[in-house]
Amino acid sequence: CTPRGDGCRWYWEITFTETNTMRVTINRLGIRYTDRRGSIWVSQSGEWRTVDIRIPANGTGSYDNWVQSLDPDSEGNLQGATLQVRWEGTDAEGNDISGRARVTLEWRGDD
């Protein structure tokens, strides 16, 4: 959490590692945040976005983003929320791939 006003801004990055000696392209990412009350938050353009993340055989590729919430007492406060990233794509042989990862956003520490 990077303090911003009364709230936080979180910068995050997901790194994909290919370990099967086959090039992979990720072409869709789904990004959602679930706050402590159980409400789901996505960007104004929707949960899914088109991307072009190319991961060479035995290599890596990454995607980064950020999110913020300004009022710690309001609905939508993301301190302690869960970030879920889902992905879809294909490998070099045309097989579909998909997966997901989750992480908890940290709480704001005392300034």
Side-chain angles (χ1 to χ4, degrees), residues 1-2 8-13 31-36 41 65-69 76-85 102-109:
C1 165
T2 301
C8 291
R9 179 179 281 186
W10 296 267
Y11 297 93
W12 57 268
E13 179 176 30
I31 300 169
R32 72 165 54 181
Y33 303 88
T34 305
D35 68 23
R36 295 181 329 274
W41 303 88
N65 207 329
W66 61 270
V67 65
Q68 72 182 21
S69 59
N77 175 17
L78 295 178
Q79 293 182 59
T82 300
L83 161 61
Q84 177 179 265
V85 179
R102 292 179 188 203
V103 67
T104 301
L105 299 179
E106 73 179 351
W107 288 82
R108 181 177 175 147

Side-chain angles (χ1 to χ4, degrees), residues 24-91:
V24 171
T25 301
I26 295 173
N27 53 30
R28 280 178 29 107
L29 280 181
I31 300 169
R32 72 165 54 181
Y33 303 88
T34 305
D35 68 23
R36 295 181 329 274
R37 296 177 174 122
S39 296
I40 294 173
W41 303 88
V42 299
S43 88
Q44 290 179 345
S45 59
E47 179 176 355
W48 288 92
R49 60 201 66 207
T50 301
V51 296
D52 186 24
I53 303 169
R54 297 173 190 216
I55 307 162
N58 296 315
T60 62
S62 62
Y63 180 86
D64 61 81
N65 207 329
W66 61 270
V67 65
Q68 72 182 21
S69 59
L70 297 178
D71 183 350
D73 296 321
S74 71
E75 185 175 332
N77 175 17
L78 295 178
Q79 293 182 59
T82 300
L83 161 61
Q84 177 179 265
V85 179
R86 295 184 291 163
W87 58 87
E88 297 176 348
T90 55
D91 67 18

